[in-house]
Amino acid sequence: MTMEGTKSLEPLIKEPSTNRANDLDGVLQVIYESVADLNMQLPAEQQIGKSLSTILFGGGGKLDSLALANFIVITEQKLEESYGFRIDLTEDDPFSPTTGHFRNIESLATYILELTAKRPSRGL
Amino acid sequence: MNPAETESTGLKLHLISDFNLETLGHYLANGGTSPQVSVSVAPFGQVFPALLQPAHAQASDFALVWTSAEKIVPTFPNALNGVAVSEDRIFAEIHQFADCLREAQKNFRAVFVVSWTIPLHQRGNGILSLKRQGLRRLLLKMNLKLAEELENCASIYLLDGQRWMEMVGKTSYSPKLWYLTKTPFHAEVFRRAAADVKAAMSAVLGASKKLVIVDLDNTLWGGVVGDLGWQNLRLGGHDYLGEAYLDFHRALKGLRNRGILLAIVSKNEENIALEALARHPEMVLRLDDFAAYRINWNDKAANIVELVAELNLGLQSAVFIDDNPVERARVREALPEVCVPEWPDDKTLFASQLLELDCFDSAYATLEDVSRHDMYAADKRRQLSGKEVSSAEEWLRSLDTEVTVEELGDADRVRVVQLMNKTNQMNLSTRRVSEQELQAWLQPGNRKLWAFRVKDKFGDSGLTGILSLDLESDIAYITDFVLSCRVMGRNVEKAIVAFAVQYCAGLGLKELRASYLPTSKNKPCLKFWMSSGFLFDETGNRFTWLLNEPYPFPDGIKIHHSHHKGASQQASTPVLRAGQDASLAVFSD
C-alpha cells in the first residue's frame, strides 16, 4: 500500500544479481579472469590454461600451495565484485586432497555453484 | 660488473624478509619488465642473520629488505596492543636494525628497504591515533627515524610501502593469505612493489629517462592552434579542461625543475605554434622551458631522432607523450628505444598520469641535475656562436674553455659515481660501480681517479669528465675514460688524454694504454680514440701511447689543477696551456 502521490519504492530496490552465480558460464568467466591474473606472476612453464579440464592442484597440477592460495584470494575477490556478496572458498581445507574442490577448473566451478546455492535468499 | 654480462644475464636481487616474499619474487622474475632480474630469497624469518652473514651477498647486485615492524622492533607489539611504550626504547631498536643494514650495504650495489606499514583496517586509537602515544603517529615517527638513520648511506634507499597499500586499498592486507601461507599482502601489492623495485634498480643503474617530448595540440592545450588561433585554445580560465591542461604544464615544469629536459615535437606551422607559446596569457610553459623543438609537418619519429641527436642524448633517454594513438603507435614501432606510455583520452588525467610515471626516478640529485636545463640553454647559445665563425677550430678557440682537474674527493663522489653509471656514449669501459665499490677499487696505492670540470664563456657544465689510471710497473692503464655528452666534441677529450700522458710521463712510465670495451652505445668513444693518434691494436681493441713521445695539447683550452684544501681554500694551479707539450710539463700533485 503506497501513500497517494508517492511512487512505490519496490522497483528501486534490487535483489543482488544471482543470475551470474547460478550460471556456469558466468562462474567460468570469473575463474578464467582469475587465471589470467594469476598467470601474470607465474613463469611460463607454471602458467595454467583456461579449460574445464585444467588441473589446478594435486597430482599433475602446476600450482603449488602459494600459487593456489593467491588464486583463491583473487577468485574470491572477483566473485564478490561480480555477485555483490562474499564467498568463502576455504570453508573446507583447500590443500586437502580428499575434498577435491581445487582439483581442476570444473570441480572449482561446481564448488562455487554449490556454495552460492546454499546462500539464504535475501528478504525485503 | 662487466656491462656485457649485465646485458646478457640480467641482475641478481636478494630478498630478505620475516614473511613469505615468494609472490614478490615471482613478479620480479617473471614480470617481463626491465631490468631483467633473477631472484634469490633468504631463509624465511631470518632477517638479522641474512643481513649480517649474507650467504648470497657476493652473488647479488641488490638486496630488498621488507620487514614487519612488530618483528624487527620488539617493543612495537606493545603499542599495537594498547600498552604505552617508550619512544627512546623503540628508537634504540631501530638504530640497531639500521646498523645491520649499514653492515649489509657493503655487500651490495644498493639495498632497498621497505618502510613499515600496518593494516589499513587497524584503527589503533581512532581519533587519538595521531596524538602522542597514538599508533599511527608512532609508526610515522618510526619510519622517519629509520629514514634519518639511513640518510647518509648513499646506497640504501627507503621505499614507501604505505603507497602500495593505499593504491590497492582495503584488500591490501589479506588475512586469508597470511593464515594459509604467511603472506600478509594481496598479490596486487606485490605487483605494485615489483614495479617500484624495478624502477629503483633502473635509477641506480643510471637508466632513468632524461627527456620528455610533448606534442602540442590536444596535449599541451585543448584544440588545434592552426584552426582556432591561440586566443581560442582551452588553457586555464574558468574551464575544467583548461585547468586540467594547466596542471599538466605544472607537472611538466616540476620535472624540468628536477633536471628532466622538455622538448616539443608537433605537426604545426612553427610560427603559429611559437606565437601561442609566447602570447597566450595563461601558458605556464614558455619556449624557454624547452631545450629543443621540431614544429613542422614531418614524420614525428624522424623529428624525434633529429631532436635527440641535437641534445646529444640517446633515444633510450626519451619519453614521448602525444594524445594521438596513431602518432604514439608510429613512434613505438619506428623507435622502440623511446618510451611511449599509453596516454588517457580523458584530459583530466594528464597530470596524474605524468606524475605516476616511474621512468624518471633518479638515485641521485646533484647540482648538475637540477641545472641541466640551464646547461642546455647555454649549449644552445654555444652552438649558435659556432655559426658566426668560419671554422670549427676557430669556434672551439672562441669558447675560452677551461678544464679544472681534481683528484676524487668526498664532495665529488656522488657525482662521479652518477656520471660513471649513466654515461654511455663517451665511455671507454662502461664500468658501473657503487660508491663502496669505487672506494674499494681506489684502496691500492697504484690507482688514481680524477674528476674534470668544464666551463666556457657560455656557462659552467660542471663535473663532466672522469679519468682513472691503474699503474703497473712501467705501464699505465686507463680504466675509466668518461665524458658527459654535454661536453663531447669540444676537445675536452684530448685535454683529458693530454693530462694522462703528462701525469704518466712525469712518473717516468714507458707506456699509456687504453682498452676499449664495445657496447651497443659507445661507438663515439671508439671514434675518438681512433682519431687520438694512439697506436691501435685491433686484436685487443687496445690503444697505446709511448710516453717518450710528446702529446699535443688542444688549442683553446686551459687546464687547471685544483687541490683539496676545503671548499673555501681550493687552490687552482695552471697545469697546461695551449700548445704546450703534455709530456714535457712537470706535473705537481
Side-chain angles (χ1 to χ4, degrees), chain B residues 39 59 98 130 159 222 228 238 240 313 319 323 331 382 387 411 414:
Chain B
V39 177
L130 287 170
L159 303 183
L228 299 174
H238 298 287
Y240 77 102
L313 293 172
V319 176
D323 72 295
V331 171
R382 194 174 289 120
K387 295 182 179 159
V414 170

Side-chain angles (χ1 to χ4, degrees), chain B residues 11 14 90 99 105 150 158 207 215 251 263 279 290 296 315 342 349 352 380 474 531 538 541 548 552 561 576 584:
Chain B
L11 299 157
H14 192 49
I90 286 204
D99 272 344
Q105 72 157 345
L150 303 176
L158 200 53
D215 171 47
R279 296 187 65 186
F290 296 94
N296 51 46
L315 287 170
E342 226 5 72
L349 299 177
S352 56
K380 230 191 233 175
D474 52 6
S531 67
E538 205 172 325
N541 270 339
N548 58 349
H561 187 219
L576 290 169
L584 298 180

Side-chain angles (χ1 to χ4, degrees), chain B residues 19 66 121 131 184 211 239-240 245 266 281 287 362 420 429 457 494 577-578:
Chain B
F19 53 81
W66 195 344
H121 59 249
K131 293 269 190 190
L211 168 67
D239 167 37
Y240 77 102
Y245 279 115
S266 167
L287 190 60
S362 175
M420 282 178 78
S429 61
K457 69 182 186 188
K494 285 190 178 162
R577 285 193 166 67

Side-chain angles (χ1 to χ4, degrees), chain A residues 37 40-43 64-66 69-70 72-74 76-77 86 88-90 94-95, chain B residues 20-23 26-27 30-31 170-171 174 176-177 180-181 183 185-187 190-191:
Chain A
D37 270 13
M40 278 171 54
Q41 59 175 269
L42 297 176
D64 58 19
S65 55
L66 176 63
N70 275 320
I72 287 170
V73 169
I74 292 168
E76 283 182 349
Q77 189 175 354
R86 266 196 84 71
D88 180 5
L89 295 177
T90 59
F95 303 128
Chain B
N20 190 338
L21 262 191
E22 274 188 56
T23 304
H26 289 321
Y27 276 117
N30 306 315
K170 71 173 187 179
T171 56
S174 174
K176 184 159 284 185
L177 274 174
L180 285 174
T181 64
T183 306
F185 309 121
H186 191 281
F190 292 119
R191 192 183 69 78

Side-chain angles (χ1 to χ4, degrees), chain B residues 176-393:
Chain B
K176 184 159 284 185
L177 274 174
W178 173 254
Y179 295 122
L180 285 174
T181 64
K182 293 297 173 277
T183 306
F185 309 121
H186 191 281
E188 182 62 14
V189 169
F190 292 119
R191 192 183 69 78
R192 291 179 184 273
D196 272 9
V197 171
K198 290 268 181 114
M201 289 166 65
S202 291
V204 170
L205 294 169
S208 48
K209 305 298 180 190
K210 300 175 190 139
L211 168 67
V212 180
I213 304 171
V214 291
D215 171 47
L216 292 176
D217 294 327
N218 293 314
T219 301
L220 214 59
W221 54 60
V224 177
V225 67
D227 293 339
L228 299 174
W230 62 264
Q231 300 89 333
N232 299 312
L233 296 175
R234 285 187 93 164
L235 186 66
H238 298 287
D239 167 37
Y240 77 102
L241 281 186
E243 285 186 35
Y245 279 115
L246 276 197
D247 277 348
F248 184 51
H249 282 221
R250 292 188 186 103
L252 285 165
K253 195 138 188 170
L255 286 181
R256 176 204 170 292
N257 292 340
R258 274 166 50 188
I260 311 297
L261 297 173
L262 304 181
I264 297 169
V265 165
S266 167
K267 283 185 176 163
N268 248 306
E269 292 297 331
E270 184 179 292
N271 60 319
I272 292 176
L274 293 182
E275 188 185 13
L277 280 168
R279 296 187 65 186
H280 196 295
E282 302 249 22
M283 197 72 67
V284 167
L285 289 171
R286 300 289 181 184
L287 190 60
D288 275 353
D289 289 306
F290 296 94
Y293 59 84
R294 291 288 185 278
I295 304 174
N296 51 46
W297 298 101
N298 299 340
D299 171 49
K300 287 196 178 181
N303 270 335
I304 288 172
V305 169
E306 264 187 38
L307 183 146
V308 168
E310 176 190 324
L311 295 173
N312 256 334
L313 293 172
L315 287 170
Q316 76 283 353
S317 299
V319 176
F320 174 60
I321 293 175
D322 196 308
D323 72 295
N324 188 333
V326 173
E327 297 285 8
R328 293 200 299 271
R330 161 68 187 145
V331 171
R332 259 191 218 117
E333 191 203 344
L335 306 173
E337 287 172 286
V338 174
C339 173
V340 185
E342 226 5 72
W343 207 245
D345 291 330
D346 186 348
K347 322 310 184 191
T348 63
L349 299 177
F350 278 16
S352 56
Q353 186 77 4
L354 179 71
L355 291 169
E356 206 178 359
L357 293 176
D358 60 18
C359 52
F360 304 111
D361 286 6
S362 175
Y364 313 94
T366 65
L367 193 57
E368 278 85 354
D369 291 321
V370 296
S371 53
R372 183 175 287 128
H373 172 84
D374 295 334
M375 290 181 186
Y376 271 86
D379 201 51
K380 230 191 233 175
R381 294 193 293 276
R382 194 174 289 120
Q383 299 295 337
L384 283 172
S385 80
K387 295 182 179 159
E388 296 160 13
V389 296
S390 57
S391 72
E393 290 76 21

